[in-house]
Amino acid sequence: MSQTVDRALTILPLLAEGPANLEQVATRLGVHKTTALRLLRTLHEHGMVYRQQDQRYRLGARLFALAQQAVENLDVREIAHPYLVELNERCGHTVHLAVYEENEVLYIDKVESRYPVRMYSRIGKPVAITVAAVAKVLLADLPEAERRAVAEKLRYPAYTPRSTPNAAAFLKELATVREQGWATDLGGHEESINCVGAPIRGADGRVVAACSVSAPNVVVSAGELLALLPEVRRTADAISHEYSGGGPLGERAATAPDPVEPHPEPTDSRTEESTP
């Protein structure tokens, strides 16, 4: 029975390359045509393959429906959380996970910094969309027309002198983010807070979420935080791999880079900071 299942499953990636006739399927499987036909008929009955009028077989609509249902049921937060915790353990700073929903960018997970300074960010709370690194990562992936429409509808509060001033500047920055594959907020929302973010992608390559590391400059400088960008991107790539069906990238703890040496904790820093 296991050999039969193996042969049937081998047919699916073959047809993913394009329609194939009975002889081609039999040749690829290394079986007689009658065996290949029996497997194809079973897959056809379950909607996994479809026989065209030219007698060639292609992938069936049922297979696509199941794939879509599986994607919709994926919980990116559940998959991402262990990776976020490990990133936090390595660098010590606040780690966020965010998604774009209904014209807002929302935090859906957070791992607190080990330092006394704490962020005001809350799970479920919208971010400052025109300046936040996670927002730039998410909006940069939108199709150009949608990206422009969103940018032109936004208001551009002057949180700090480094805040994004208008739609033209925002679109220019999004284009840069789209090209380079990461984003920053260097004092755009709070002058004392810096942030670096990277995209988490689904199997189709589209950005489904963004993760970031944020820290106040009383703990680390902007340059020191930017040095963590490779860590952030590796974390985002690992989450993307598992979210797309690739499974965990080995033992996370065993494959993680060497821990980043923490910066000395400030001795008198009790002020809470707002979201990056």
Side-chain angles (χ1 to χ4, degrees):
M1 178 63 72
S2 60
Q3 185 181 44
T4 300
V5 173
D6 180 71
R7 286 172 174 171
L9 292 177
T10 301
I11 292 174
L12 300 179
L14 166 62
L15 298 185
E17 300 171 6
N21 60 32
L22 178 60
E23 183 176 356
Q24 290 171 319
V25 172
T27 300
R28 176 67 70 90
L29 295 180
V31 299
H32 194 273
K33 287 183 181 181
T34 55
T35 300
L37 181 60
R38 184 173 67 253
L39 294 170
L40 286 166
R41 282 176 173 171
T42 300
L43 291 171
H44 183 270
E45 289 172 1
H46 289 275
M48 301 299 176
V49 304
Y50 176 78
R51 189 174 67 178
Q52 302 177 159
Q53 289 186 348
D54 61 4
Q55 305 306 308
R56 293 189 301 166
Y57 293 84
R58 61 170 172 79
L59 294 180
R62 175 62 176 160
L63 187 64
F64 293 106
L66 289 172
Q68 182 62 34
Q69 185 177 359
V71 169
E72 290 174 353
N73 288 334
L74 282 175
D75 184 347
V76 68
R77 181 184 181 277
E78 181 178 352
I79 292 171
H81 186 74
Y83 294 98
L84 304 181
V85 170
E86 289 181 1
L87 177 59
N88 169 267
E89 290 173 348
R90 293 197 298 272
C91 71
H93 307 305
T94 301
V95 178
H96 287 108
L97 181 70
V99 295
Y100 179 59
E101 291 184 354
E102 298 181 357
N103 299 317
E104 288 186 324
V105 175
L106 305 171
Y107 289 127
I108 61 171
D109 202 0
K110 177 185 180 182
V111 185
E112 291 280 7
S113 166
R114 71 163 66 108
Y115 299 100
V117 177
R118 292 291 183 265
M119 303 290 182
Y120 275 135
S121 56
R122 297 288 184 269
I123 295 174
K125 181 179 178 181
V127 311
I129 197 169
T130 60
V131 292
V134 288
K136 295 170 188 175
V137 166
L138 291 161
L139 295 183
D141 189 61
L142 296 176
E144 183 178 359
E146 185 178 355
R147 195 162 69 239
R148 182 171 297 278
V150 170
E152 291 175 350
K153 290 178 182 178
L154 293 173
R155 296 196 305 170
Y156 293 85
Y159 301 109
T160 78
R162 296 182 180 180
S163 298
T164 308
N166 51 50
F170 193 46
L171 286 168
K172 183 177 180 180
E173 185 166 8
L174 293 183
T176 299
V177 171
R178 187 181 180 92
E179 181 178 354
Q180 68 190 14
W182 50 274
T184 63
D185 170 14
L186 303 180
H189 190 215
E190 288 285 336
E191 289 189 88
S192 60
I193 299 290
N194 299 306
C195 180
V196 292
I200 296 166
R201 300 180 183 275
D204 60 358
R206 296 299 305 274
V207 175
V208 297
C211 67
S212 67
V213 168
S214 306
N217 54 27
V218 296
V219 176
V220 292
S221 68
E224 289 171 317
L225 189 68
L226 284 170
L228 294 175
L229 179 60
E231 289 265 11
V232 178
R233 298 187 75 180
R234 279 194 291 270
T235 297
D237 289 345
I239 298 169
S240 300
H241 184 269
E242 184 167 347
Y243 182 80
S244 298
L249 292 176
E251 293 296 330
R252 296 189 186 101
T255 59
D258 293 336
V260 176
E261 188 66 26
H263 209 71
E265 294 186 6
T267 57
D268 186 19
S269 181
R270 302 176 184 275
T271 305
E272 288 195 339
E273 301 289 351
S274 52
T275 59

